[in-house]
Amino acid sequence: MSADYLAALPAATQEEIKQAAKIIAEGGLVAFPTETVYGLGANALDAYAVSGIYIAKGRPSDNPIIVHVSSVPMAEFVGEVNWMARYLMEKFWPGPLSLVIPSNPVVPETTRGGLATVGVRMPDNPIALALIETADTPIAAPSANKSGRPSPTDAETVRRDLGKNVDMVLDGGPTLVGLESTVLDVTGEHPVLLRPGGVSKEEIEKTLDMEVLLASDANSLKRSPGTRYRHYAPKVPLVLLGKEQHAFFCNSINKKWAWMGISEPPCVPEQKIIFRNLEEYARELFRAMRALESSGVEMIVAETPEEKGLGFALKDRLIRASGV
Ligand code: TXA
Ligand code: MG
């Protein structure tokens, strides 16, 4: 039994999705919105189509791609869903949680980056779900940016970043979460958090009544290839600033700098972006980085977020962007 996601959308959107689904079926690439960031999609079961994603992004071929599904049965088609995975799917899908499970042979090695596992997620976005359903195939999709650039949170940024490398861009407006999904490995005895995101470690622990290990504790770096690469790098240096460093920073700064954060800057910058709360900081982070890096400043100074709720994932992305 599947929901009719397509029928719920306006007629013009339905037409676009049908066209996009046809491109997917023919082995092409379609960028589409999810609730987290825009994805660059291809038929997950077609190795040739998926290799197009690696080429368009300039992505290392050993970095596996998340497979997007529109239902739990579709997830069962691509991989082995154990009790832990099923519990989490029931609680958090559709939503920003990708689960790494043992792969079924239908998924080509190209999609899995040569691993025996596959990452699956059901996105919480009506266009994404209608596209998967209409294409009638799971869709492999990394974030729709050039490798190493911030993830795109609107269609215009996708067009600018990937241009002719993508056959079609479905425009669903700005994304709601702004940070990529949580990636959780549920193949072992204990779940392992490979990437913090929209669903927090605490929420997962509460649902499973079980401790979630961090990738660093579990020595599972090898199982999370994406974490080996520098990510989300703006074109100018980005530094994180905590309150205790304010005085030192303001006394020693001799560059044109921009501030982003929830609080006002500790001294006067060239540019500033102030967010209303943690959720807005997360949602607007990548857009703010792109805006500030091309505003003529020599450095971006980001307020260190409080590590609660989305703050954990936000700090993770800021640390990666700072390249430390
Ligand atoms: O929110 C998101 O997850 C977005 C949207 C488009 O769904 N996608 C996304 O994909 O951020 P990408 O490729 O940029 O990041 C996926 C991360 C990478 O770090 C990759 O290494 C990891 O997930 N990953 C995917 N499959 C895996 C697997 N089988 N084992 C371990 N890590 C995996
Ligand atoms: Mg990415």
Side-chain angles (χ1 to χ4, degrees), residues 36 39 59 63-64 66 68 117 121 142-143 180-181 195 223 226:
T36 58
R59 181 181 178 101
N63 192 1
I66 293 172
H68 296 66
T117 55
R121 103 172 178 96
S143 49
E180 306 86 345
S181 63
R195 178 175 75 183
R223 289 194 286 161

Side-chain angles (χ1 to χ4, degrees), residues 234-239 249 252-259 269-271 289 291-302:
K235 288 176 191 149
V236 297
L238 180 145
V239 298
F249 172 79
S252 56
I253 183 70
N254 57 6
K255 287 193 170 105
K256 280 189 184 175
W257 61 287
W259 169 260
E270 296 280 324
Q271 305 274 345
M289 281 205 273
L292 292 177
E293 71 179 2
S294 45
S295 70
V297 298
E298 296 161 276
M299 184 168 133
I300 301 171
V301 179

Side-chain angles (χ1 to χ4, degrees), residues 50-111:
V50 172
S51 62
I53 296 179
Y54 287 96
I55 295 164
K57 277 187 63 106
R59 181 181 178 101
S61 62
D62 63 350
N63 192 1
I65 299 177
I66 293 172
V67 172
H68 296 66
V69 297
S70 58
S71 66
V72 173
M74 199 186 262
E76 287 169 326
F77 175 66
V78 298
E80 275 173 47
V81 177
N82 63 13
W83 73 267
M84 259 194 261
R86 185 172 307 277
Y87 244 67
L88 295 169
M89 287 171 183
E90 275 165 17
K91 169 90 176 160
F92 297 109
W93 281 12
L97 177 65
S98 299
L99 295 165
V100 172
I101 58 178
S103 180
N104 285 338
V106 285
V107 181
E109 280 203 9
T110 313
T111 306

Side-chain angles (χ1 to χ4, degrees), residues 161-208:
D161 227 33
L162 295 176
K164 290 199 196 82
N165 292 323
V166 49
D167 298 307
M168 186 174 178
V169 181
L170 287 170
D171 191 344
T175 58
L176 294 176
V177 180
L179 298 181
E180 306 86 345
S181 63
T182 303
V183 181
L184 189 77
D185 184 325
V186 287
T187 58
E189 208 172 309
H190 275 272
V192 180
L193 186 70
L194 302 182
R195 178 175 75 183
V199 174
S200 74
K201 179 171 173 278
E202 292 74 20
E203 285 175 282
I204 296 167
E205 288 180 330
K206 218 171 116 201
T207 304
L208 295 178

Side-chain angles (χ1 to χ4, degrees), residues 11-57:
T13 315
Q14 288 190 24
E15 280 317 305
E16 274 191 275
I17 290 174
K18 283 183 196 160
Q19 199 188 329
K22 189 159 173 275
I23 293 172
I24 295 280
E26 287 168 354
L29 300 183
V30 173
F32 61 95
T34 78
E35 79 282 32
T36 58
V37 300
Y38 274 71
L40 176 63
N43 179 355
L45 309 182
D46 177 345
Y48 188 76
V50 172
S51 62
I53 296 179
Y54 287 96
I55 295 164
K57 277 187 63 106

